Amino acid sequence: MEEIVDSGLTGITLRVHDERGEWVGSAGVSKLGEAAKPPTDGHVRIGSNTKTFTATLVLQLVAEGRIGLDTPVADCLPEFGPDRRITVRMLLQHTSGVFNFTGEYYEDGTVVAGIPATTAGKEWVDNRFKTYRPAELARLALSRPARFEPGTGWSYSNTNYVLARLLIEQVTGRSVTEEMQRLILGPLGLSGTVAPTTETEIAEPHAHAYFRYEDAGEEKTVDVTSLNPSWISSGGDMISTSRDLHTFISALVSGKLLPAELLAEMCTPHPTPIPGMGYGLGVFVQDTGRGGTVITHNGGAAGHAALMYSTPDGSRTLTATLNYVDDAALSLAVPFQQATQRLVDEVFCGGQADPARQAD
């Protein structure tokens, strides 16, 4: 953990559950300029871990018979005019090909901008309290050319999960917040987890999140702990704690939230361009490099991040929260990835890091 902080992150808290019980610790600082460590069960913006909650909710509605995995999205959301070949499954699996409203990044280096996300620097900072409606984000994305024909490729797109959110609300007639409470947060007692939609504050205790940007040639660092998360919507707007993330992922993989056949669908990986990583329905299935796999999703945006890993049977979990100074260049992406790989090796592979993977 100290090495992770030394790589450039402000602070980290870590929670590990295994056959020996629970281990919890933290390193670094909660706030720049102060000595206090991050609170071990502080609230954090969990970024794309939101996708796992959202996918679980959709699959619970499938279990209730409200919708089918292979139902065309256009049947439920005709007013948005999505390609009729796009199914609910393709949204959850990132195989729909829909444009990513936070921007598309192509293999040849081409970037097609979407809304001003964190990669926009000062423009994002200046707009961080703006409210974006999910329907507005979906319409923007669907007005842009698709990345590929539905079902013919894989590309991570936040739009898939905003469409999933709209689908949940259309099918149930209730808000995603209400449905999340009914089917996941309430039954599991996740009192530290919220789907804030447009609320700007984060409950105490919490570590602080920062963003560094250039303004008229001058570098500035601003506290962005408070912001309006509607810019990322159900692609990453939720707030949770490492304790709640452990409760959630262990309940999910051990079958407490989904019938066995739907859990199996969720954890069946579709190939991705990421080495050693397949994507199921709202979860990554990662090869540990030691003959095993972990079910995982991580998320980070605007100076807060969260990690969530579990063995397929739920017997061992790793959940963590991180705070850092983000920037438009995503300069901490590589240290962040290396840090998470070190943690996975330590917790799930007995500390025996695969040299080939360490070199990535």
Side-chain angles (χ1 to χ4, degrees):
M1 289 167 59
E2 294 289 357
E3 286 178 30
I4 288 166
V5 170
D6 290 344
S7 75
L9 297 163
T10 312
I12 177 172
T13 75
L14 179 65
R15 181 179 299 272
V16 175
H17 284 255
D18 63 16
E19 66 281 358
R20 295 167 293 180
E22 177 186 68
W23 185 92
V24 183
S26 66
V29 298
S30 176
K31 190 174 184 179
L32 289 177
E34 298 186 5
K37 289 183 177 182
T40 53
D41 206 37
H43 298 85
V44 68
R45 298 189 187 278
I46 64 171
S48 285
N49 289 285
T50 302
K51 293 181 173 74
T52 309
F53 283 86
T54 305
T56 302
L57 196 48
V58 171
L59 290 170
Q60 288 172 314
L61 297 178
V62 171
E64 289 183 351
R66 305 283 195 97
I67 194 168
L69 262 181
D70 297 308
T71 299
V73 173
D75 287 359
C76 304
L77 300 173
E79 67 273 30
F80 294 95
D83 188 313
R84 282 207 57 80
R85 294 170 293 176
I86 296 173
T87 64
V88 174
R89 181 191 304 275
M90 289 177 194
L91 296 184
L92 303 186
Q93 196 179 54
H94 292 300
T95 53
S96 71
V98 294
F99 180 87
N100 184 4
F101 67 82
T102 50
E104 279 288 3
Y105 298 79
Y106 291 89
E107 290 76 7
D108 63 1
T110 306
V111 178
V112 181
I115 63 160
T118 50
T119 48
K122 182 179 185 299
E123 189 180 1
W124 176 80
V125 171
D126 292 344
N127 283 283
R128 71 186 184 279
F129 292 106
K130 176 179 177 176
T131 292
Y132 292 90
R133 298 296 172 196
E136 173 188 357
L137 299 174
R139 286 197 172 93
L140 165 74
L142 291 169
S143 72
R144 303 287 179 85
R147 187 166 181 137
F148 49 77
E149 298 281 309
T152 64
W154 185 90
S155 184
Y156 194 86
S157 172
N158 290 306
T159 308
N160 287 316
Y161 279 79
V162 174
L163 289 168
R165 177 202 192 116
L166 291 165
L167 200 70
I168 291 164
E169 296 184 339
Q170 176 65 33
V171 166
T172 65
R174 290 185 289 273
S175 72
V176 73
T177 303
E178 292 171 307
E179 283 299 278
M180 197 76 73
Q181 186 63 39
R182 177 176 78 90
L183 288 170
I184 301 175
L185 309 186
L188 294 182
L190 304 185
S191 58
T193 303
V194 293
T197 61
T198 60
E199 295 164 32
T200 61
E201 300 308 305
I202 180 169
E204 295 284 359
H206 60 75
H208 287 250
Y210 299 91
F211 191 84
R212 179 174 56 237
Y213 66 104
E214 271 199 20
D215 184 10
E218 182 184 345
E219 187 175 274
K220 296 185 175 180
T221 298
V222 60
D223 188 319
V224 293
T225 311
S226 297
L227 55 79
N228 184 328
S230 65
W231 69 276
I232 192 66
S233 188
S234 291
D237 65 356
M238 288 179 71
I239 293 166
S240 192
T241 65
S242 64
R243 183 189 303 275
D244 276 8
L245 290 177
H246 155 72
T247 302
F248 170 66
I249 191 66
S250 58
L252 177 61
V253 299
S254 60
K256 294 187 175 74
L257 294 174
L258 294 173
E261 65 274 12
L262 286 176
L263 180 60
E265 292 260 23
M266 184 182 219
C267 297
T268 300
H270 183 279
T272 77
I274 309 166
M277 297 275 256
Y279 201 87
L281 306 179
V283 292
F284 282 98
V285 182
Q286 179 177 339
D287 177 3
T288 61
R290 286 284 177 274
T293 59
V294 287
I295 307 301
T296 177
H297 215 302
N298 296 332
H304 270 165
L307 314 180
M308 184 170 66
Y309 291 86
S310 178
T311 51
D313 64 356
S315 63
R316 180 173 299 197
T317 67
L318 178 165
T319 54
T321 63
L322 301 98
N323 52 307
Y324 57 104
V325 182
D326 203 358
D327 58 26
L330 306 176
S331 61
L332 279 175
V334 172
F336 177 79
Q337 289 161 2
Q338 291 172 340
T340 57
Q341 188 55 51
R342 284 288 311 282
L343 284 173
V344 169
D345 290 335
E346 192 68 36
V347 174
F348 296 98
C349 306
Q352 299 300 307
D354 182 336
R357 300 202 56 170
Q358 283 293 90
D360 287 350

